[in-house]
Amino acid sequence: MSTLQKPPRAASPAERSTFAAEALKLGGKSEEEVRRMGAVDAADDQVEALYAARYQTVNSPVHRAVWDDQFPVDLFHFDSVASPSESAAQTMDEAIHVAHRHVQLGTLLDEHRKIRQPVLDDLAATGYWGLLIGPEYGGRGATFTQFAKFLTRMATVDPTLAGLASVHGCIGAVDPLLTFGNADQKRRLLPRLASGEKLSAFALTEPCAGSDLTALRTVAVRDGDDYLITGEKLFITNVLPGRMIGVVCRIDGRPAGLIAELPDHETDEFRLKRYSLYALQHAHNYGILFNNFRVPAENLLEAEDGDGLTIAYHGLNRGRVALCANAAGTMRAMLMDILPWARFRRTYGEPIMSRELVQRRAGELAGLIVACDALTEWCAGLLDLGYRGEMECVIAKIFGSEAQKHAAIELHMKTHGGRSFLGGHLFGDNVHDLLAPCIYEGEGEMLGLAFFKSLVKDHGRRYFEPIGKTLQATGIRRPNLANPAHLWTLREPLWNYSKWRFGKMLHTGRPRFQDLAPALWPHAEWSAGFLQDAAIEVSATMRKHQLKLADRQCRMAELSKRIQTAVVILCTSLYAGSQSDERIRKAGELLARRLTAELTGRRPSDAYLRAVTELGAELADHDLPGTSDILERPILMPYDAEAGT
Ligand SMILES: Cc1cc2nc3c(=O)[nH]c(=O)nc-3n(C[C@H](O)[C@H](O)[C@H](O)COP(=O)(O)OP(=O)(O)OC[C@H]3O[C@@H](n4cnc5c(N)ncnc54)[C@H](O)[C@@H]3O)c2cc1C
């Protein structure tokens, strides 16, 4: 990636994390916690250092929207998305055709209800597994935006197939090799990943290390030209003998990334640990037991200035956008499952589709779909431009997974009533798959805290660290601003902070979005204003809790969620405004209205309820764009609807 380059840095990650660690000690943390949080901080700094300055977090759209005086209007929506190349487009069409064929013939799943090997092979023949890999290595060279939008399409046919493409291309071996592999590693390994000869997985989580990646225990030690890996991995999607997996383990105490080619059968050095797992039921997901498992040293990935977590974070960013894209497709399938049923099912003499409650659900579901489309296109566009985009991808992941969970339970399940729980029902058969995205690739609330940390990091360094450093240097443990000596000691950092704060309070310039449709620009302007105003509130929260802020998780989570919601409103409004289809525009606008009401604590207005039910009723007769690949599902337990009436 040409945009990955080393920017000039003021202080090394190690230096910065030393200060962060000192600050945490002052905040009363244990030595162990300080060490681990310092390590996480350093890993994050190392990821930052991979990007040129203009693509780092402080210059990302969300960070700038909150802290900068100039609102980065142009970075919240990209007008044109380039079409895939002819070969990539052909692969995409053929892959959809393969998926359709196997679904229709009933040959998608084997006797264990896992995707059958011939399906994976047929997809390989289309070039599916090489979509993200350049033609020089036998791939199709799709941009990430093209890939992510295609995943939405594939998820409308089968979400597991879309998910496997993401595991292979984003978090598995493909992205680490594309981004961090040297010329030799790319030449040796990418062609086999592109052709689908090797499918890949990503082994990060361990029994003792999921949310807390500083607790990783798997180690690799050098033995001649090899590394020997020993340890246990857990929950690894798509792992099977013969696959090529990215393993994060410790080498000389530091996290590292190794590409391991698994043997074709289990051995004393490599075994799978099988368990009963309901989620991702059609994919293989196992634990891995390594015991001096040999990997050539030439397969060690070298992240300049970084380590194994740097590599993991890079792929996870993409995986999180892919997850949102998958949710957009899965929710389309839910919508297209709701509508025929709601037209068929009559209660009290009328089809339930004619009732407001059901119409509202369809209208609301369309809004969630449009928001996921908007976030997918926006985040993928940022990644294609070269942005780190970590905060933005976290928003897409949290919103996508929560929207899918809400849609599954509140909209899909409730509308289908008891039939939701029948075997063969989209909800009943897949309930765990529909909920699990809230957990994998980072549990949502934990990610929300990480989002908040990224948001406040630079502000803390600029304005609060100098105060902390001065206090540390002068030995003042309990600063008291009523004490003239303390005030004098702190005069410089306090003056800098006051200048920032008053400047921000006096700043009145608001971004204007009046080129948007009249129904949409007020939402865009309101949410942009919300983000600008959030700086004062976030800063006041930092001031109030100071070094204890890390322990005020509930406050951080609450603030984080509101900021994320404002971003969703803004992106959805801008995206909807750029669409020609009236239902998409309407769905986006209504989603923005509902989220705004949530943020301001207002009840939904009668006008909103009328509009959302009207949209739902319209969807019963006119399909939402992007649903044409969906295969019709039978109505379960049908009956003669006219008889007896
Ligand atoms: C279906 C599925 C597929 C998966 N696929 C993969 C894969 O392919 N590769 C891979 O490496 N991993 C995979 N995972 C693992 C997944 O990423 C982890 O489950 C996830 O990151 C959470 O880790 P954990 O389960 O260990 O949760 P834990 O670390 O045990 O945390 C449990 C919960 O405790 C709370 N919590 C934890 N720490 C804190 C804290 N400091 N403060 C406040 N609350 C806290 C959070 O709510 C958290 O969700 C998969 C998981 C599932 C379910």
Side-chain angles (χ1 to χ4, degrees):
M1 260 176 83
S2 60
T3 47
L4 286 183
Q5 62 185 63
K6 201 173 159 190
R9 276 204 319 256
S12 75
E15 285 160 353
R16 291 198 210 123
S17 61
T18 305
F19 179 73
E22 286 306 320
L24 287 165
K25 267 190 216 159
L26 283 175
K29 301 275 178 202
S30 71
E31 286 290 331
E32 175 60 6
E33 204 168 351
V34 169
R35 188 186 63 73
R36 290 186 173 202
M37 290 171 89
V40 170
D41 236 33
D44 185 67
D45 283 339
Q46 285 156 359
V47 182
E48 282 290 295
L50 293 170
Y51 292 84
R54 62 181 293 221
Y55 299 118
Q56 291 178 355
T57 297
V58 289
N59 287 317
S60 72
V62 172
H63 200 282
R64 285 184 55 195
V66 172
W67 298 113
D68 286 13
D69 287 341
Q70 284 301 315
F71 194 94
V73 172
D74 295 343
L75 286 183
F76 276 91
H77 176 69
F78 308 111
D79 272 338
S80 59
V81 177
S83 304
S85 68
E86 208 175 302
S87 73
Q90 191 179 343
T91 290
M92 291 172 184
D93 288 340
E94 285 177 8
I96 294 288
H97 180 70
V98 165
H100 270 159
R101 182 160 50 82
H102 283 288
V103 172
Q104 283 169 325
L105 292 175
T107 51
L108 194 68
L109 305 178
D110 64 17
E111 67 275 21
H112 305 293
R113 303 201 52 75
K114 305 289 178 199
I115 302 284
R116 289 170 62 245
Q117 186 60 39
V119 179
L120 305 177
D121 294 342
D122 289 351
L123 287 171
T126 70
Y128 186 67
W129 306 109
L131 274 169
L132 283 172
I133 300 173
E136 65 277 28
Y137 302 110
R140 299 293 185 265
T143 65
F144 189 64
T145 304
Q146 293 160 356
F147 176 76
K149 288 169 83 77
F150 168 66
L151 288 189
T152 296
R153 193 178 156 204
M154 182 53 99
T156 64
V157 184
D158 188 81
T160 307
L161 292 181
L164 291 182
S166 163
V167 170
H168 179 75
C170 300
I171 61 171
V174 172
D175 182 72
L177 280 166
L178 284 174
T179 312
F180 301 98
N182 58 35
D184 171 63
Q185 291 167 339
K186 288 180 180 175
R187 184 188 50 73
R188 280 191 295 114
L189 305 174
L190 281 175
R192 286 186 289 150
L193 290 163
S195 68
E197 178 194 330
K198 293 279 174 191
L199 295 190
S200 64
F202 172 62
L204 177 64
T205 306
E206 299 181 5
C208 58
S211 307
D212 175 9
L213 294 174
T214 63
L216 290 177
R217 288 185 190 161
T218 299
V219 292
V221 289
R222 189 72 187 243
D223 181 46
D225 289 341
D226 298 326
Y227 280 104
L228 299 179
I229 306 181
T230 300
E232 180 173 348
K233 293 290 175 182
L234 180 65
F235 289 137
I236 309 309
T237 308
N238 210 25
V239 67
L240 277 181
R243 300 225 157 142
M244 188 189 295
I245 68 172
V247 183
V248 180
C249 54
R250 289 190 179 280
I251 295 181
D252 298 330
R254 289 191 71 194
L258 277 169
I259 301 292
E261 293 198 52
L262 300 176
D264 288 338
H265 51 83
E266 292 175 52
T267 62
D268 287 346
E269 291 79 33
F270 150 73
R271 273 188 296 127
L272 294 180
K273 186 170 176 175
R274 292 171 171 80
Y275 36 72
S276 163
L277 181 72
Y278 291 111
L280 291 183
Q281 56 181 323
H282 303 312
H284 293 274
N285 182 300
Y286 306 114
I288 312 176
L289 298 167
F290 290 118
N291 179 17
N292 284 326
F293 179 73
R294 206 165 273 281
V295 175
E298 61 188 4
N299 282 12
L300 176 69
L301 294 168
E302 308 262 12
E304 192 196 339
D305 242 4
D307 61 23
L309 292 184
T310 317
I311 295 165
Y313 289 156
H314 192 274
L316 280 169
N317 243 5
R318 280 160 169 69
R320 288 170 184 155
V321 182
L323 186 152
C324 185
N326 200 320
T330 305
M331 290 192 293
R332 279 181 164 86
M334 287 183 206
L335 179 65
M336 297 308 280
D337 195 36
I338 284 178
L339 298 175
W341 160 250
R343 284 189 296 255
F344 169 80
R345 181 58 161 173
R346 298 171 82 91
T347 63
Y348 307 102
E350 291 291 327
I352 59 171
M353 194 69 236
S354 66
R355 310 291 186 182
E356 276 198 354
L357 279 181
V358 174
Q359 291 169 352
R360 191 209 69 217
R361 290 183 194 140
E364 202 182 304
L365 184 47
L368 295 175
I369 292 168
V370 172
C372 284
D373 286 347
L375 292 171
T376 300
E377 192 175 291
W378 174 56
C379 290
L382 286 170
L383 296 182
D384 277 337
L385 282 176
Y387 282 88
R388 178 180 178 194
E390 183 228 9
M391 295 173 71
E392 294 73 14
C393 297
V394 162
I395 295 177
K397 150 57 178 127
I398 297 176
F399 186 84
S401 57
E402 292 294 324
Q404 180 169 296
K405 178 184 78 178
H406 176 83
I409 294 171
E410 300 298 330
L411 311 177
H412 190 216
M413 177 192 86
K414 288 190 176 170
T415 306
H416 277 263
R419 283 169 175 79
S420 303
F421 299 94
L422 287 171
H425 191 275
L426 183 62
F427 174 83
D429 279 0
N430 298 292
V431 58
H432 297 98
D433 280 35
L434 295 169
L435 306 186
C438 295
I439 301 297
Y440 56 70
E441 306 202 14
E443 185 267 324
E445 280 202 298
M446 292 294 286
L447 284 182
L449 295 183
F451 170 92
F452 190 81
K453 201 171 165 209
S454 297
L455 184 68
V456 300
K457 197 168 177 176
D458 182 67
H459 187 69
R461 272 184 192 153
R462 267 175 208 259
Y463 298 108
F464 295 112
E465 271 193 20
I467 295 174
K469 273 185 173 161
T470 309
L471 292 175
Q472 208 183 4
T474 52
I476 301 174
R477 291 195 74 85
R478 291 188 185 283
N480 172 10
L481 294 187
N483 178 337
H486 288 188
L487 199 57
W488 181 251
T489 305
L490 292 170
R491 67 193 180 284
E492 203 176 310
L494 283 181
W495 170 243
N496 282 341
Y497 179 67
S498 306
K499 256 194 323 195
W500 171 81
R501 186 154 181 269
F502 286 111
K504 194 77 186 164
M505 283 167 72
L506 294 175
H507 182 75
T508 51
R510 288 286 199 217
R512 293 273 164 252
F513 294 93
Q514 296 193 356
D515 290 346
L516 272 181
L520 286 162
W521 68 255
H523 297 295
E525 291 194 358
W526 183 85
S527 51
F530 182 97
L531 291 170
Q532 287 185 309
D533 293 345
I536 295 284
E537 191 181 351
V538 171
S539 186
T541 306
M542 295 169 77
R543 221 171 48 236
K544 178 172 177 189
H545 298 291
Q546 299 179 21
L547 295 174
K548 295 277 184 200
L549 182 60
D551 293 326
R552 298 288 76 80
Q553 293 188 328
C554 298
R555 175 58 63 214
M556 287 195 290
E558 186 270 338
L559 250 173
S560 170
K561 186 163 188 300
R562 282 195 287 133
I563 292 168
Q564 292 172 47
T565 303
V567 173
V568 175
I569 296 172
L570 178 56
C571 284
T572 308
S573 305
L574 297 178
Y575 173 85
S578 71
Q579 300 295 303
S580 54
D581 185 277
E582 196 43 47
R583 285 152 301 169
I584 301 254
R585 293 159 74 100
K586 192 90 209 148
E589 188 232 317
L590 291 170
L591 184 281
R593 264 210 247 177
R594 184 169 69 75
L595 293 184
T596 305
E598 251 176 56
L599 270 186
T600 53
R602 284 201 311 266
R603 295 165 57 214
S605 65
D606 284 344
Y608 166 79
L609 294 175
R610 195 165 49 246
V612 79
T613 51
E614 278 170 12
L615 174 65
E618 195 185 336
L619 289 169
D621 300 323
H622 304 282
D623 291 346
L624 195 72
T627 52
S628 59
D629 291 313
I630 297 173
L631 299 170
E632 204 177 320
R633 299 177 70 89
I635 286 172
L636 299 180
M637 301 286 180
Y639 58 96
D640 182 352
E642 300 299 328
T645 55

